[in-house]
Amino acid sequence: MTEFETATIALQHVALQAMYVQAGIAGLVGLIQCALIAWGLRLMRQSAHSRDQQHEENMLALRTLIKRTAPRQG
């Protein structure tokens, strides 16, 4: 085997290893993105729940105010 053939095989081996590293990094980045999206969705759900509770409290306060300030009938 010539020196050129040996160098070519070594280069192919390094390129294959680099491909595995790139695939691993891409997979890790994908997992991190999924985790961030899940975290963001969770925060949005919590905010919506908090807003719903606040809306209910405001509606209760408005109903009470309307009852107290409504003109008396009869």
Side-chain angles (χ1 to χ4, degrees), residues 6-74:
T6 304
T8 302
I9 291 172
L11 182 61
Q12 288 175 348
H13 182 68
V14 169
L16 185 62
Q17 286 179 339
M19 184 181 70
Y20 288 140
V21 170
Q22 287 175 341
I25 291 171
L28 181 63
V29 168
L31 288 174
I32 291 170
Q33 288 175 337
C34 289
L36 288 172
I37 290 169
W39 181 51
L41 290 173
R42 182 175 170 264
L43 287 177
M44 288 171 58
R45 192 176 306 121
Q46 287 175 343
S47 295
H49 182 66
S50 174
R51 245 186 337 270
D52 289 345
Q53 286 179 335
Q54 197 172 30
H55 178 71
E56 288 298 323
E57 290 174 10
N58 290 339
M59 290 303 294
L60 179 62
L62 285 173
R63 284 187 191 111
T64 303
L65 180 64
I66 289 169
K67 281 182 184 178
R68 289 181 182 174
T69 59
R72 304 250 184 241
Q73 293 178 355

